[in-house]
Every structure is written in C-alpha cells, then in structure tokens.
Amino acid sequence: MEEKSKKESFQSSPHIKEVFDFLPFGICILNQSGIITDANKTFLKVSEYQANEVLGRPFSMFFLNPKEIEKILHQIVETKSFLFRELILISKNKKEILTRTFFSLKSNTEGKVEGYIVGVEDITQLKELVGRLEEEIERKTLALEQKIKELEEAKEKEVILRIRERAKSRDIEVKVEELEKVKSALMNILEDIEEERKKTEEEKNKTLAIITNLNDGILMFDKEGKISLVNPQIEKFFQIKSEELIGKTISDLAQISQFKPIVELVGDELKQIFREEVEIREDLILEITTIPMMKIGEKIGTLMILHDITREKAIERMKSEFVSISAHQLRTPLSAIKWTLRMFLDGDLGELTKEQREYLEKTYQSNERMIRLVNDLLNVARIEEGRYIYKLVLADLIPICQSLIDLYKDEIEKNNLTLEFKTQDNLPKVKVDVEKISLAIQNLLENAIRYNLPGGQIEIELKKREKTIEFSIRDTGIGIPKDQQNRVFTKFFRAPNATKVDTEGSGLGLFITKNIIEAHGGKIWFESEEGKGTCFYFTLPAES
Amino acid sequence: MPKRILLVEDEEIIVDLLEKKLVKEGYEVLVARDGKEALEKMQAMDPKPDLVLLDIIMPKMGGFEVMEEMKKNKTLQKIPVIVISNSGQPVELDKAKKLGAKDWLIKTEFDPQEVLEKVKKQIG
C-alpha cells in the first residue's frame, strides 16, 4: 500500500518528488480523510519520524491540537480556500516545534477534490530569531528609551544647569556690577582719603612750618603733662636745646631758673591763662597764654604760647614817656599863664581896672581853650598808644551824668537852654573807666550846648535796652549836614556849619568819645537833621 | 607856729605865685628847685615840713625819686605829699599813690586857689 500510494503520489512526475524533497519546508499529501499519503524529506527531518511511521497515519496526530487540524481541513473543503496557521508539531522526541502550516486542496485533473496538500515550515528558529530579534529590539528600545530618558534627563539637567548658570551668571553679573560699584565707591573713598591724607599732610607741614617759623615760642604738653613739642623760638628765648626739654613736666621746669616765673604763673596743674606778663630777664618779657587742646570733648594736652613783648613794652614805655614829656612841655607854659591870670583875676596881685579885668578874663578863656586842645591831643596820643582804658570799675551812670550836668549848669543857663534828664529806676551798673566815660559824656554834652540854638532844648536819657544801657542826648541845634555825616567821628573833622557857629573846636571830641565807647565794648551812633537837631546814642554792656 | 610847706618846683613863676598864695594864707613856705635840693632840705629841716608840694618832672632828681627816698626814711615817710604836675597819666597816678602821695593835681586843671584848698584839707 505504501508503494502504491507512492506511485500514486509522485508517478505523474518523478522529478517532482526530488523537487519536493529539496524544498526547505515539509510537504505532506493527505487523502480526503486526512491521512498522510506522502511526505517529503524535510517533513521527516522536522518531525524526526521515518517515512513508514508517517505514511498512512492521520496528519492531525502529529500536532499538539489534532482537532484544530481537522477543523481546518473541514474548513478549507468548505471554503475551497487556502489557509495558513501557526501550529505546534510534536516531534518523535516529544519536542514541540512551532510551524507555519499552510493547507491547500489537492484536486485531480478533472478538478475533483481528492485530498490535501499541506506545507509545514519549521519556524522555531525563525520564531526564536524573531523572538530574539524582538527581545533585542525590546532591549534596544528599552536601552534607547533609557538612553533617551537619560538624555532627556541630562538635557533637562543641562537646561536647568544652564538656566541656573544663566541665573547664576546674571546674579554674578549683578554681583559683579554691585562689586564694581562698591569698588568704584571704595576707589573714590580711597582717592578722597588719599586727598585728605595729602591735605592733612600739607596742613601738617604748613602747621609745622608755622610753628617752626613762628615768632612766638610754642611748648606743647601731652596728656601726661610732659613736653612733646618745642619750637626753635623757645630754644632762642631760653638758650636751651629742645632735647633738654622734651619729656619734662612743668614741675621739672621749675628746676631751670629761667622757667621759674612761668611755673609760678601756671602752677603744676598748667592752669589756663590768657596773655599774662612774665619778666624772664631784663631783656626778655613774655606774654604767656595756655590753651587746653581738646579732641571730642577730651583734653589731650596743653598748648603754651610764649609771645615776646620785650620790644612792645619798651615802645610802650617810650610812648608813655613821650606823652608825659609832651604833656609837661605843652602844659608848663599854659599852667604858668593860667595861674598868673587867675591870681590877677582873684585880686592876689593887686586891684585891676574893669577894662583890665575884661581883657584878662578873655585871655584866661583863650588859655583854657588851649589847655582843652592840649588835653584832647594828649588823649588822642594815648588812644593811639593803644592802652587808653586804664581802670574798669562797676559804676552807676546816673551820678556821672548828673555831676556833668551840674558842671555845665551855668553855661546852659547862660545860653538860655533847658535840659531834661530822664532815667529809669533800677538801672543796672556798667563796668567803666569813670574818668574816660565822663570825658565821653562831657564831649557829647559840650557839643549839645555849643551847637544848640538860643532857647533850645537838651534831653538826656538813660535806659536799659536788652543787655545794654543806652545813653542818648538830643539837642535842637544846627544839626549835621547829610553829606558830612559819615565823617563825624573822624579825627580833626569839623562840619562847616559847626565852624561858623564856633571856631574853637579841635575836631577831636567825637573821635575820642567813639574810641572810649568802643573800648568799653559799646556802640555809638547818631541821628541828625540839619537845622533841626542831633541825637547821639551810645550803649554800654550792662552788668547783671 | 605856722605850718611848714616844702614847695618843690622848678618853674619860677609857679613857685612865685604859689608861694605868694600860701604865705598870704599864713603858711611858712620853703622852696626847692629840684628833687635833690628837696631831699637835702627835708633832712636838714627841723622841724620837718608838715606838707610837701611836689612837682614830678624836674632837673637833677624827679618827683618819683624824691618820694622813693622819702619812703625809705622813717621820719620823712610820714610827711604828706601832694603832687602838682603838668602830666597826669593813670600809670603815673597809680605809681604816686603806691609811693604814698595824698593827692595829684594837674596844674592846668587847677588854679592856685584850688591848690590852697587841697593844702588846707590836708594840713588845715
């Protein structure tokens, strides 16, 4: 039967069997019942069966699911179609072999279905390969995905990093900018400091140059009272080297005989003094001033300034002698005339006729004017000498004014003038050189009398004004022409209208008065209208 | 016994006028023409003068020196001194006061009558 089927199968073309055997996939010819009638070598190889174990047996029995095969065969008969299925072949050695099996109807030449042609392709390897490939692909995909993920992450990180870096760099830029600003500010400060330093250095050099070249002697005592600076003038004054003085205290100086008078003056505590005179030797008179050196409220030392007044003193003495001699020389003949005339007029030198008396009286008055002029000149000389105000005492201005008014009472009456003196109660006292302040008021009163109009008035007033006492004297006299007013206090000045009234004035009175008032720390001024009168004012500091 | 006044003055006319005025008032007046003569007379005089009228600027010895010498002498230092001068600066006035002068009269500011009154005030 086997032979027969063989003949039946491949007899038509013996070559076809060879071709079949040569095919890379298994071929089985089945009869209408699904029995294998022929199988090629490839099928036998795949199924690991011998030909005799295959032929005559149902094709379905070689597969894992025989029923499925039967169903397929039945199906293709019905549909007359061609069909592929992946099916598991069970080999002789019970190996499960995945196959791609295709089913086709086998028809005879008349077109009658006489069985089936089944192709069995072992796709285990292919499947494995595909599986491996798929795995590989899977793996690669995973790896790729991983890589992508990583890359994405990396990219992300990089982006973040970049962003951060950018932010950072922006921060840095801002910071750098800030730093640049700070740097520039610091540079400016440094420049300023440098400039300040230079200035300070320059100032220091200047100060040092001043101290070195100063005509005054300078001794600087530090916080501990030790001498820290000695200028060359000190060396010159005391004929001593600065090294011998540096580091010494004021008490140490008491050991040097020349310094003794200074030490006695300032004491061990270096007390503050202002322009105190000290005679060191016959040829050296010094004026000592000590000033505490302060730094933010703290005493950091004492500066002693020694001003040489030897020459000033000599000049002062000479001036004084000059004034004294001048006074003597000028006054001696005047006093001789005054006394002689006075004794004649008093009848001490015999009786006079009326005419003689009149002449002598006039001569006496002329002499008196001359005496006043000399007095004025001597006063001016002393003002210019610089030490005119001599003795300051606490005084009340009311009695001073009153006694002057009394002194001029006769003259006021003679000129048909009226005088009013107004004062306030509790008027504070003033610190004045009484003789000088009397002279100042006397000059003003004399002017008010001399330059008044017949029947005129004089009003003197003393009142307190803020921290001063204000004196005023108002007259109803000739006044001072406006264009002459700025010259009123000038030495030897006399207004033309005043000269017409009285040819005798020296032009010194108001100059002397102004100097006296100002030497007392006061102020003097006036208001005047020509033909109507003048009011002179002065103030003096009131003593509380 | 009239009161004795030593008038120390170098200006002739002043001496004459003042002497006349004082004598007329009953004073005994002795005159010295300079400081040196004044001191000699003071020492020689017995009794000592009751008052010295003393000029300041004089030949040989000035008024201040006279007062300084008088101050050194126990007897002479008791004699009151009135200065009659043509000068009168505050320093001089102070100096005179320190040396014991009772008064200072500037000749142009006083006349003989006023001098007499000052003398009277001092010694009666």
Side-chain angles (χ1 to χ4, degrees):
Chain A
M1 195 182 150
E2 196 183 48
E3 282 296 314
K4 193 188 165 192
S5 55
K6 229 180 200 180
K7 275 177 192 169
E8 274 178 10
S9 313
F10 299 113
Q11 68 187 355
S12 58
S13 178
H15 300 293
I16 285 178
K17 184 174 167 49
E18 284 167 22
V19 172
F20 273 4
D21 285 342
F22 187 70
L23 283 171
F25 52 86
I27 297 281
C28 286
I29 306 291
L30 314 179
N31 65 12
Q32 282 175 322
S33 310
I35 304 298
I36 298 169
T37 58
D38 206 351
N40 74 349
K41 280 186 180 168
T42 309
F43 181 77
L44 298 173
K45 196 183 168 190
V46 170
S47 63
E48 293 168 334
Y49 286 102
Q50 294 300 315
N52 56 354
E53 292 166 326
V54 172
L55 293 173
R57 302 218 174 177
F59 177 74
S60 58
M61 67 170 284
F62 296 99
F63 285 85
L64 186 67
N65 192 353
K67 274 191 181 158
E68 196 185 357
I69 305 294
E70 280 162 20
K71 212 171 143 184
I72 293 166
L73 290 176
H74 183 72
Q75 196 181 342
I76 64 164
V77 170
E78 272 190 357
T79 59
K80 293 187 173 109
S81 64
F82 191 80
L83 219 137
F84 281 98
R85 281 288 187 280
E86 278 190 5
L87 302 162
I88 292 165
L89 179 80
I90 307 296
S91 75
K92 195 180 171 181
N93 297 317
K94 304 296 177 198
K95 236 167 47 183
E96 285 186 4
I97 296 156
L98 184 67
T99 65
R100 190 164 61 161
T101 306
F102 55 91
F103 299 87
S104 167
L105 290 168
K106 184 178 175 263
S107 308
N108 63 12
T109 47
E110 285 89 28
K112 198 184 162 191
V113 176
E114 50 183 23
Y116 309 89
I117 300 167
V118 184
V120 179
E121 191 188 1
D122 178 358
I123 59 162
T124 318
Q125 281 185 335
L126 191 67
K127 268 288 171 184
E128 267 177 30
L129 194 67
V130 167
R132 278 213 303 280
L133 272 172
E134 277 176 351
E135 263 175 37
E136 184 69 19
I137 286 165
E138 180 77 4
R139 211 168 40 81
K140 291 249 160 107
T141 307
L142 278 172
L144 216 59
E145 277 174 359
Q146 184 65 29
K147 197 84 193 166
I148 286 166
K149 210 174 152 192
E150 278 175 18
L151 275 171
E152 274 176 356
E153 278 175 9
K155 198 178 169 190
E156 208 172 307
K157 274 184 193 163
E158 200 186 311
V159 167
I160 290 168
L161 207 70
R162 249 185 234 159
I163 289 168
R164 276 189 190 156
E165 270 173 6
R166 214 172 295 155
K168 224 189 223 170
S169 71
R170 209 171 301 139
D171 269 6
I172 288 169
E173 269 172 27
V174 170
K175 287 235 169 89
V176 165
E177 216 170 284
E178 279 173 7
L179 280 171
E180 280 294 330
K181 277 183 197 164
V182 171
K183 185 186 161 191
S184 138
L186 278 172
M187 287 304 283
N188 283 340
I189 291 169
L190 272 176
E191 272 173 27
D192 287 352
I193 289 172
E194 182 63 16
E195 203 148 303
E196 282 304 313
R197 201 187 60 77
K198 270 187 198 162
K199 270 188 202 164
T200 313
E201 187 76 15
E202 272 173 31
E203 283 304 315
K204 195 184 153 192
N205 288 341
K206 269 190 218 164
T207 311
L208 209 64
I210 291 167
I211 288 173
T212 310
N213 296 300
L214 206 62
N215 277 332
D216 288 349
I218 297 279
L219 277 178
M220 216 182 265
F221 293 84
D222 64 15
K223 215 173 169 182
E224 278 80 43
K226 288 180 180 165
I227 295 173
S228 58
L229 190 138
V230 176
N231 78 338
Q233 202 59 29
I234 291 281
E235 297 181 323
K236 213 168 129 190
F237 284 162
F238 299 97
Q239 287 123 28
I240 195 166
K241 287 269 159 215
S242 65
E243 298 86 65
E244 293 175 56
L245 294 172
I246 295 284
K248 287 209 165 120
T249 63
I250 190 80
S251 328
D252 297 336
L253 288 188
Q255 310 304 315
I256 306 167
S257 63
Q258 286 198 92
F259 281 97
K260 258 186 191 162
I262 296 173
V263 180
E264 276 165 21
L265 188 70
V266 296
D268 286 349
E269 72 278 21
L270 267 169
K271 70 177 174 204
Q272 203 176 332
I273 54 167
F274 181 68
R275 298 178 73 172
E276 298 265 359
E277 261 181 54
V278 166
E279 190 172 330
I280 305 293
R281 301 185 297 269
E282 208 170 278
D283 64 341
L284 181 65
I285 302 166
L286 296 176
E287 203 174 62
I288 315 282
T289 301
T290 54
I291 308 157
M293 293 185 292
M294 306 298 283
K295 192 180 177 187
I296 331 167
E298 195 195 349
K299 192 180 170 186
I300 54 158
T302 304
L303 184 70
M304 187 185 280
I305 303 163
L306 300 93
H307 178 59
D308 184 359
I309 53 161
T310 316
R311 199 174 136 75
E312 283 170 38
K313 289 301 271 185
I315 291 169
E316 196 182 300
R317 199 173 53 243
M318 281 159 65
K319 269 187 175 175
S320 186
E321 278 167 11
F322 170 78
V323 171
S324 181
I325 288 162
S326 305
H328 182 260
Q329 299 298 345
L330 290 166
R331 278 171 170 164
T332 300
L334 292 172
S335 54
I337 296 166
K338 177 183 171 109
W339 285 29
T340 309
L341 291 175
R342 189 75 258 163
M343 283 188 63
F344 267 119
L345 289 166
D346 286 351
D348 290 326
L349 303 172
E351 287 301 306
L352 297 173
T353 65
K354 196 183 167 204
E355 198 185 15
Q356 283 169 337
R357 174 171 292 277
E358 276 170 15
Y359 280 120
L360 288 180
E361 187 66 55
K362 279 177 187 163
T363 316
Y364 183 81
Q365 290 309 330
S366 294
N367 192 54
E368 283 299 299
R369 284 204 299 275
M370 193 61 165
I371 290 168
R372 276 207 297 277
L373 176 63
V374 168
N375 287 347
D376 282 352
L377 285 170
L378 290 172
N379 279 325
V380 170
R382 274 152 64 187
I383 284 168
E384 288 173 347
E385 188 188 323
R387 299 206 177 198
Y388 186 50
I389 299 303
Y390 189 69
K391 212 178 268 174
L392 291 172
V393 293
L394 212 55
D396 188 349
L397 280 183
I398 299 172
I400 294 175
C401 289
Q402 195 56 60
S403 64
L404 285 166
I405 292 166
D406 295 345
L407 191 69
Y408 283 89
K409 208 177 159 194
D410 292 349
E411 206 171 336
I412 290 165
E413 275 172 21
K414 203 176 87 189
N415 289 322
N416 200 22
L417 301 169
T418 53
L419 187 143
E420 195 184 351
F421 180 31
K422 292 191 205 166
T423 58
Q424 281 177 346
D425 289 337
N426 303 319
L427 203 69
K429 290 190 172 184
V430 283
K431 216 170 196 179
V432 291
D433 182 326
V434 177
E435 188 198 324
K436 304 294 171 1
I437 220 74
S438 301
L439 179 60
I441 297 171
Q442 187 182 350
N443 284 338
L444 294 173
L445 180 58
E446 263 185 21
N447 284 351
I449 297 167
R450 197 180 295 164
Y451 303 115
N452 217 318
L453 299 171
Q457 287 152 13
I458 298 168
E459 188 184 296
I460 298 174
E461 191 174 2
L462 276 173
K463 61 181 171 189
K464 190 174 186 288
R465 186 179 285 272
E466 288 164 9
K467 288 177 177 175
T468 63
I469 301 294
E470 187 184 283
F471 168 96
S472 62
I473 179 164
R474 185 181 299 276
D475 67 52
T476 51
I478 57 166
I480 305 159
K482 218 165 187 78
D483 61 339
Q484 307 286 324
Q485 289 187 357
N486 60 343
R487 294 172 63 200
V488 162
F489 296 112
T490 314
K491 194 164 52 176
F492 298 118
F493 169 76
R494 296 197 71 217
N497 59 343
T499 322
K500 277 179 201 159
V501 174
D502 180 3
T503 51
E504 292 167 15
S506 65
L508 293 170
L510 287 174
F511 170 80
I512 293 166
T513 299
K514 183 177 191 274
N515 274 280
I516 293 170
I517 298 302
E518 288 177 354
H520 283 85
K523 274 182 192 161
I524 185 165
W525 71 99
F526 64 91
E527 289 161 0
S528 184
E529 201 177 326
E530 197 176 357
K532 283 196 170 175
T534 304
C535 186
F536 273 92
Y537 301 85
F538 70 75
T539 58
L540 290 174
E543 289 294 317
S544 52
Chain B
M1 265 282 276
K3 293 273 170 72
R4 302 183 106 189
I5 295 171
L6 177 63
L7 173 60
V8 190
E9 170 68 66
D10 63 327
E11 183 72 17
E12 190 98 22
I13 189 151
I14 295 290
V15 172
D16 288 353
L17 292 170
L18 205 48
E19 190 180 9
K20 204 172 187 73
K21 193 89 187 170
L22 294 167
V23 168
K24 203 179 165 191
E25 279 299 314
Y27 294 108
E28 185 190 344
V29 179
L30 284 96
V31 175
R33 306 283 171 167
D34 60 66
K36 214 173 159 221
E37 190 189 335
L39 275 177
E40 284 165 6
K41 284 202 167 158
M42 266 186 259
Q43 266 146 7
M45 273 166 88
D46 188 29
K48 299 293 179 205
D50 299 292
L51 180 80
V52 176
L53 282 172
L54 182 66
D55 191 11
I56 292 294
I57 300 169
M58 293 179 292
K60 292 183 188 169
M61 186 190 278
F64 285 119
E65 274 178 86
V66 173
M67 282 190 276
E68 278 162 16
E69 290 304 316
M70 282 172 77
K71 217 182 168 187
K72 286 177 197 164
N73 185 299
K74 275 187 182 174
T75 320
L76 300 184
Q77 67 182 207
K78 289 172 188 161
I79 307 168
V81 174
I82 292 177
V83 174
I84 44 165
S85 172
N86 275 313
S87 183
Q89 294 185 81
V91 265
E92 297 171 316
L93 263 62
D94 260 16
K95 194 175 172 186
K97 208 173 169 188
K98 272 182 196 163
L99 290 169
K102 297 287 175 191
D103 216 333
W104 183 295
L105 308 177
I106 298 171
K107 283 178 257 183
T108 50
E109 308 305 307
F110 293 86
D111 56 39
Q113 184 59 37
E114 287 165 321
V115 177
L116 177 68
E117 278 155 26
K118 292 272 182 191
V119 170
K120 275 185 183 169
K121 198 181 154 196
Q122 208 54 240
I123 53 168

